[in-house]
Amino acid sequence: MRAAAAARIALLRAEIERHNRLYYVEARPEISDREYDALLRELEELEAAHPDLATPDSPTRRVGGAPLEGFAPVRHTVPMMSLANTYNAGEVREFDRRLRALIAPHEPTYVVEPKIDGVAVSARYEKGLFVLGATRGDGQTGDDITANLRTIRSLPLRLIGEAPPALEVRGEVYLGKAAFARLNQEREEAGEEPFANPRNAAAGSLKQLDPAVVARRPLAVLFYAVGACEGVEFPTHRELLERLRGWGLPIPPRHWFCPDIAAVERALEELREARRAFAFDTDGAVIKLDDRRRYAALGATAKSPRWAIAYKYEPERAETRLRAIAVQVGRTGVLTPVAELEPVALAGSTISRATLHNEDEIRRKDIRVGDRVIIEKAGDVIPAVVGVNVAARTGSEIPFSMPKTCPVCGGPVVRREGEVAARCENLQCPAQLKRWLRHFAARNAMDIEGLGEAIVDQLVDRRLLDSPADLYSLDAKTLAALERMGPKSAENLVAAIAASRERELWRVIHALGIRQVGAQSARLLAEHFESLDALMAADETALTSIFEIGPIVAGEIRAYFAQPRNRSFIEKLKAAGVRTARAPRPAAPAGALPLQGRRFVLTGTLAAMPREAAAERIRALGGAVSESVSSKTSFVVAGAEPGAKLDKARALGVPVLDEAAFLKMIGATPA
Ligand code: IVH
């Protein structure tokens, strides 16, 4: 039985990692996402049933373990340096001249590769196993982000083929362009601050102390250099890339071997175009001497090695006419000015809209309607208006001012002291109401299938509701009268709305649309408060005592519940039969979980995880955790500096587990 499980586990792990590689490294998946998920689920179940068979390199570990209390420092044996930047062909030739003089009589040859705009990381493999991940930090010492890197699916947890005793690879963690757009859209819908660019998003993600949060961000990684290695040498950079690829490590999608500097210039031009098709942002190229045996002798300046240089592309710009400034109203009532442009080609696409951020930005740049404006693709993603061609002014241009009334409902627009955003304060504003309804019904909120944009628009425009609470009193007849709604789909929608009464508490909290409270914070809140009433009653201290809930979010939560209108909305939800308390945890079938019926008492400090995380893990495996030792206690787990509970356990003859034994029992890895 156990042997069969072990064999199946080994097979599943190998298969899942092979599919990870096919999907993330080689971009040629063989199975559907659904089939992949099924393999992963089967492995999770087997590992839960056999905790002793869990290993640190299992793909299930990629979903993130317990939150960290902080990052431990990691000293880089080989420092992580940065690169000198150049901006034009002259500087590139100068780099070539310098290198020639330094390595004469040898002739330099080069490799050109994309400069990935992400976050520099180092990953250490020992005997082929991923053991340590670190950020650059100050170049000498970085943060230990092993748990977070483990969640990145393109990072192999085990190298394929013959691996050296130690290999430290360096590269860049990034968030793909498409993933970035999706993440920001989700954040905006949740009323959270969007990330400025993919690099910030990747950096912010890697800094999360909770690897489970990191696991939900679709980060990827590419490697292009090595640090401290043992038992392996790479005579050329080309060879280095080939070897990394051979071990299953992802490398940049293209590189150019250049026999001389003229070839480098051609490669730079080719890359300028090719980079548009890359999944990641590329703000430049890196030119590296191919012959690595000369690196040591060439050495480095204070900051960067002499054998490589970065070449930055000018951000792509275009000039066009600003036809109008539209003002959009968001879910929280924020008014955002958007430039409506005469369509123009920029960096491979046609642009007709661009962000203007807010009123202050428009004033600072003195952007007027009718101006010839310069647009730029910032970080290659969202086009922005960066300036005005003032020389082209005719005098007929019109300065912008934020409307005093909401363009949608005519309600008053208010700009609060200290805020850059102007808001429509009319809570019945159709634009706000529509956004609110869409948010309420979203997949990561109340998850009401069939309540799409077209239906929401009609419900609001026909004044069929004043708040999402009114959804629960809609009947099939009313809905069937809407456009694009047959009797059957009307009935389905009524059923979907009714079913949403039983959603989990975190979904209800998220659906309220409290500023700064996204799905993740909502989950945390629901774990700590068993009902909406308990959350409503929580003071600032109770809120901020939750890991990851800071004073700003706590302030927004308090402000939300302080509003009578919001309280009455919650009353309406309750009256409509929406469950606003946590569901009792379903009783697990007897014997199904490995720690079922076992009682644990924890004492002392564990190196691998905070005590609360250990308790959580025990409960997840079916066990119970209590505070004091009695004859009913099955095990006492003794960490460093255990207290009197250990003495009591010994006195009562209760079995004592040290940290290693405990971790083994719950299938976790030592710190
Ligand atoms: S080689 C000794 N290659 O850009 C430095 N760096 O501005 C070795 N970067 O610190 C770096 N893409 O974080 C190298 N293809 C690439 C790169 C790259 C992005 C980053 C890296 C570096 C920074 C320098």
Side-chain angles (χ1 to χ4, degrees):
M1 183 58 197
R2 193 173 169 285
R8 182 70 188 156
I9 284 176
L11 179 81
L12 285 167
R13 283 183 190 155
E15 268 303 280
I16 291 168
E17 286 303 331
R18 189 173 73 85
H19 289 301
N20 278 343
R21 205 161 53 242
L22 286 170
Y23 188 97
Y24 292 101
V25 183
E26 296 173 29
R28 46 181 192 93
E30 281 177 4
I31 56 173
S32 69
D33 290 359
R34 182 186 285 262
E35 288 165 311
Y36 175 90
D37 289 340
L39 293 177
L40 197 61
R41 193 149 338 110
E42 185 186 346
L43 179 57
E44 273 167 3
E45 281 164 12
L46 278 172
E47 288 181 354
H50 303 271
D52 56 316
L53 294 175
T55 59
D57 66 330
S58 171
T60 53
R61 296 293 310 270
R62 292 187 187 277
V63 296
L68 311 169
E69 301 212 79
F71 297 113
V74 176
R75 179 120 193 118
H76 303 302
T77 354
V78 175
M80 289 180 77
M81 284 188 284
S82 57
L83 295 168
N85 286 326
T86 58
Y87 294 90
N88 57 54
E91 289 174 352
V92 173
R93 294 216 161 227
E94 179 51 36
F95 165 70
D96 177 53
R97 265 193 298 278
R98 263 197 323 268
L99 261 188
R100 265 171 195 287
L102 287 168
I103 67 167
H106 302 282
E107 295 276 315
T109 60
Y110 299 100
V111 174
V112 168
E113 61 191 26
K115 184 169 189 305
I116 301 130
D117 197 10
V119 182
V121 297
S122 184
R124 186 173 169 86
Y125 289 84
E126 284 171 10
K127 298 200 200 96
L129 209 63
F130 171 63
V131 291
L132 182 68
T135 60
R136 174 162 59 195
D138 63 4
Q140 306 291 334
T141 308
D143 285 332
D144 181 341
I145 51 159
T146 311
N148 287 349
L149 279 192
R150 211 191 284 283
T151 68
I152 299 177
R153 299 237 168 123
S154 52
L155 180 114
L157 298 177
R158 182 187 284 281
L159 300 178
I160 49 179
E162 205 163 308
L167 176 74
E168 216 169 86
V169 283
R170 284 168 179 186
E172 213 77 3
V173 166
Y174 67 91
L175 191 68
K177 294 176 189 172
F180 169 73
R182 229 177 301 127
L183 177 65
N184 259 1
Q185 194 186 339
E186 278 172 23
R187 288 177 74 86
E188 277 183 64
E189 281 172 10
E192 292 167 309
E193 189 71 25
F195 289 112
N197 55 50
R199 183 166 33 75
N200 285 357
S205 305
L206 280 185
K207 273 198 244 131
Q208 292 282 335
L209 285 168
D210 186 351
V213 176
V214 187
R216 286 195 286 273
R217 304 260 166 95
L219 296 170
V221 64
L222 292 172
F223 294 103
Y224 46 67
V226 294
C229 298
E230 278 164 43
V232 63
E233 269 174 53
F234 312 95
T236 65
H237 185 62
R238 266 186 299 174
E239 222 166 299
L240 180 150
L241 291 175
E242 276 320 309
R243 297 292 300 278
L244 297 192
R245 200 214 308 264
W247 283 313
L249 290 157
I251 62 168
R254 278 189 77 175
H255 61 273
W256 286 259
F257 172 68
C258 305
D260 55 27
I261 200 67
V264 167
E265 282 170 2
R266 287 195 296 277
L268 292 178
E269 282 319 300
E270 280 183 39
L271 176 57
R272 185 195 295 280
E273 294 305 312
R275 70 196 175 117
R276 289 184 190 156
F278 296 158
F280 49 88
D281 272 350
T282 317
D283 58 347
V286 182
I287 306 159
K288 295 176 180 173
L289 181 68
D290 192 32
D291 190 350
R292 289 177 44 88
R293 286 165 307 194
R294 315 217 168 274
Y295 285 11
L298 282 168
T301 65
K303 208 174 108 256
S304 37
R306 291 201 182 80
W307 44 264
I309 198 155
Y311 174 80
K312 294 276 201 137
Y313 294 110
E314 286 296 316
E316 294 191 61
R317 293 185 164 187
E319 190 181 307
T320 187
R321 211 175 70 84
L322 176 62
R323 282 180 174 163
I325 296 178
V327 175
Q328 292 179 343
V329 186
R331 174 168 61 79
T332 53
V334 173
L335 271 56
T336 309
V338 178
E340 295 192 342
L341 306 163
E342 228 150 64
V344 61
L346 174 65
S349 50
T350 303
I351 311 296
S352 54
R353 287 163 86 76
T355 170
L356 287 165
H357 303 292
N358 55 56
E359 194 179 6
D360 290 355
E361 277 292 298
I362 298 176
R363 189 137 321 135
R364 199 171 58 74
K365 294 175 185 150
D366 189 22
I367 298 166
R368 305 179 188 180
V369 173
D371 266 336
R372 304 279 312 168
V373 291
I374 316 298
I375 58 167
E376 185 177 297
K377 266 202 161 180
D380 268 350
V381 187
I382 313 153
V385 176
V386 293
V388 174
N389 178 355
V390 180
R393 281 212 171 130
T394 63
S396 62
E397 295 76 13
I398 306 160
F400 171 79
S401 55
M402 200 50 114
K404 297 273 170 286
T405 55
C406 171
V408 178
C409 71
V413 168
V414 177
R415 198 171 144 180
R416 289 191 218 159
E417 183 110 4
E419 285 197 1
V420 285
R423 290 174 201 275
C424 165
E425 301 255 294
N426 170 16
L427 298 161
Q428 303 304 322
C429 174
Q432 277 195 60
L433 188 51
K434 285 175 186 175
R435 283 263 193 154
W436 188 18
L437 279 163
R438 287 214 297 276
H439 170 76
F440 186 86
R443 184 125 27 110
N444 58 4
M446 298 299 268
D447 194 14
I448 304 177
E449 207 183 319
L451 194 63
E453 190 168 345
I455 306 299
V456 164
D457 285 355
Q458 294 182 68
L459 291 174
V460 174
D461 293 341
R462 298 184 187 198
R463 299 177 177 276
L464 288 169
L465 30 76
D466 294 324
S467 87
D470 297 333
L471 286 169
Y472 297 96
S473 38
L474 289 172
D475 56 29
K477 201 166 141 244
T478 315
L479 288 174
L482 301 179
E483 275 161 41
R484 277 186 280 174
M485 213 13 150
K488 183 76 198 131
S489 37
E491 261 164 43
N492 288 344
L493 183 52
V494 170
I497 294 170
S500 76
R501 287 190 172 100
E502 295 297 319
R503 292 286 179 257
E504 298 104 302
L505 179 59
W506 71 267
R507 292 180 171 277
V508 182
I509 296 173
H510 185 211
L512 296 178
I514 305 171
R515 268 189 234 163
Q516 305 280 347
V517 177
Q520 175 58 19
S521 316
R523 281 179 196 271
L524 291 169
L525 292 167
E527 269 169 31
H528 282 79
F529 299 99
E530 78 260 5
S531 67
L532 218 45
D533 288 333
L535 175 60
M536 240 187 286
D539 61 10
E540 162 131 15
T541 322
L543 291 168
T544 51
S545 72
I546 300 172
F547 185 70
E548 277 204 332
I549 301 286
I552 296 183
V553 180
E556 292 288 0
I557 296 169
R558 304 273 299 146
Y560 178 89
F561 291 120
Q563 293 235 1
R565 177 190 103 96
N566 293 333
R567 286 176 168 272
S568 92
F569 169 61
I570 290 165
E571 285 314 312
K572 281 188 199 146
L573 282 182
K574 285 184 190 165
V578 173
R579 197 179 62 203
T580 58
R582 202 160 57 197
R585 292 188 195 280
L593 290 166
L595 302 183
Q596 196 76 50
R598 306 287 157 82
R599 266 178 189 285
F600 288 76
V601 172
L602 302 167
T603 175
T605 325
L606 298 177
M609 60 183 82
R611 200 191 290 192
E612 196 35 55
E616 198 54 51
R617 195 66 176 257
I618 293 170
R619 288 186 209 110
L621 295 172
V625 182
S626 43
E627 278 306 313
S628 53
V629 183
S630 75
S631 58
K632 294 210 188 85
T633 309
S634 324
F635 299 100
V636 166
V637 180
E641 294 172 39
K645 292 173 190 170
L646 180 58
D647 303 331
K648 179 132 190 227
R650 294 216 169 107
L652 291 174
V654 172
V656 176
L657 301 171
D658 63 7
E659 173 159 1
F662 170 64
L663 293 179
K664 190 151 188 240
M665 184 178 274
I666 63 168
T669 37

